[in-house]
Amino acid sequence: MTGRGKGGGMDRETFWNVIDEVNSSVDGGDQEAILEATQKKLLEFSAADIARWHEIKRVYMELAYRNDLWAACTATGTHCSDDGFMDFRSWLISQGRDVYMQVLQDPDSLAEVEIPKEGADFEAYGYVALNAYGQKKEIEMKGLASVLKDYLAWIGREGQTSAESYLRTLEYRNDIYQEIEAHPLGAEEKEQILEEMDLRPDISSCWNMEMLPQIMPRLCWRYNTGQGMGMS
């Protein structure tokens, strides 16, 4: 594992490159494989860069918090609660830059994207950087040999046999949000992200299920949603 990724830092280009490299190497329908490959890729970077990747993702999540995207999420048949819409936006980002940008410009174009049978949501993707950060920060502070020694001691304890539970302790011990608070994205970096966006005016928040066939005709046709239903 190297201390930093190629290019010497984390910016929006590197952020999307991480996602695109993962998507080119694993089955897009296998979320477990995506999580594993994303963590492995993030561990090539420093802990500070992993935290920055998570913060850049948060900016893209906020930009996707739009009424038209919420309507698109609903039209796919994906659960559309507050938490469900958050998981939808994580899934959308995991699809890569081209899909993300296209859907923000035209949410109905989501009809052209293959969506998993269980729906367009990816809750665990929202936390993938937290796990990678916990591991990398521990390695940077103590060294890989020491971390492996700690892990062997951990699994030797009664009832502690899960590698996942050990990694969770590292995540709690090394709080990514303290890193983000200490080194937040600057105004210039956020402005660069906004400059690449081509956001059209959003629709009203007063849309309902009966309006969906007019708002998202291709999605409603593909997923047979909207007709004669009330907003839940």
Side-chain angles (χ1 to χ4, degrees), residues 74-86:
T74 304
T76 69
T78 301
H79 61 287
C80 56
S81 63
D82 287 345
D83 287 345
F85 186 45
M86 181 181 297

Side-chain angles (χ1 to χ4, degrees), residues 196-226:
E196 71 174 336
M197 310 298 292
D198 184 18
L199 297 176
R200 65 179 186 175
D202 200 0
I203 66 173
S204 168
S205 62
C206 296
W207 65 270
N208 58 44
M209 291 292 288
E210 293 183 352
M211 298 176 182
L212 275 183
Q214 287 73 47
I215 300 172
M216 303 290 161
R218 287 176 285 170
L219 279 168
C220 286
W221 181 86
R222 178 169 181 178
Y223 294 101
N224 193 29
T225 53

Side-chain angles (χ1 to χ4, degrees), residues 19-229:
I19 296 174
D20 290 341
E21 286 186 32
V22 168
N23 289 342
S24 67
S25 65
V26 301
D27 179 358
D30 188 341
Q31 292 191 349
E32 287 299 322
I34 292 171
L35 290 173
E36 182 178 348
T38 302
Q39 287 190 15
K40 183 178 179 180
K41 185 64 184 175
L42 287 174
L43 285 169
E44 297 178 7
F45 295 85
S46 69
D49 281 343
I50 296 171
R52 182 141 298 213
W53 189 91
H54 185 70
E55 182 68 353
I56 292 171
K57 179 178 180 293
R58 184 191 63 79
V59 173
Y60 284 117
M61 289 279 287
E62 290 180 352
L63 289 169
Y65 193 90
R66 295 172 52 91
N67 296 318
D68 52 8
L69 273 182
W70 208 321
C73 170
T74 304
T76 69
T78 301
H79 61 287
C80 56
S81 63
D82 287 345
D83 287 345
F85 186 45
M86 181 181 297
D87 298 343
F88 167 82
R89 287 177 285 143
S90 277
W91 172 84
L92 181 61
I93 290 171
S94 78
Q95 299 304 292
R97 185 182 212 155
D98 291 346
V99 171
Y100 176 88
M101 294 298 180
Q102 178 60 36
V103 171
L104 256 67
Q105 292 175 9
D106 177 14
D108 204 25
S109 69
L110 189 60
E112 303 165 9
V113 180
E114 194 64 35
I115 292 176
K117 292 181 180 179
E118 59 270 21
D121 60 66
F122 200 170
E123 179 182 2
Y125 198 75
Y127 314 115
V128 65
L130 279 64
N131 189 287
Y133 176 84
Q135 295 179 59
K136 191 67 179 200
K137 190 69 173 179
E138 195 80 357
I139 292 170
E140 289 178 354
M141 292 189 302
K142 301 174 69 173
L144 180 57
S146 179
V147 172
L148 291 175
K149 183 178 179 180
D150 288 349
Y151 171 64
L152 291 174
W154 167 271
I155 62 174
R157 298 174 189 170
E158 184 178 355
Q160 302 293 355
T161 59
S162 170
E164 182 178 351
S165 63
Y166 176 71
L167 294 176
R168 187 61 57 85
T169 66
L170 297 186
E171 179 182 321
Y172 292 149
R173 186 183 302 164
N174 302 292
D175 186 357
I176 194 172
Y177 295 106
Q178 290 183 0
E179 182 89 44
I180 291 172
E181 184 176 350
H183 304 98
L185 285 180
E188 183 178 349
E189 292 170 291
K190 292 181 180 179
E191 185 63 30
Q192 288 174 352
I193 291 174
L194 288 171
E195 284 176 356
E196 71 174 336
M197 310 298 292
D198 184 18
L199 297 176
R200 65 179 186 175
D202 200 0
I203 66 173
S204 168
S205 62
C206 296
W207 65 270
N208 58 44
M209 291 292 288
E210 293 183 352
M211 298 176 182
L212 275 183
Q214 287 73 47
I215 300 172
M216 303 290 161
R218 287 176 285 170
L219 279 168
C220 286
W221 181 86
R222 178 169 181 178
Y223 294 101
N224 193 29
T225 53
Q227 292 82 358
M229 299 174 64

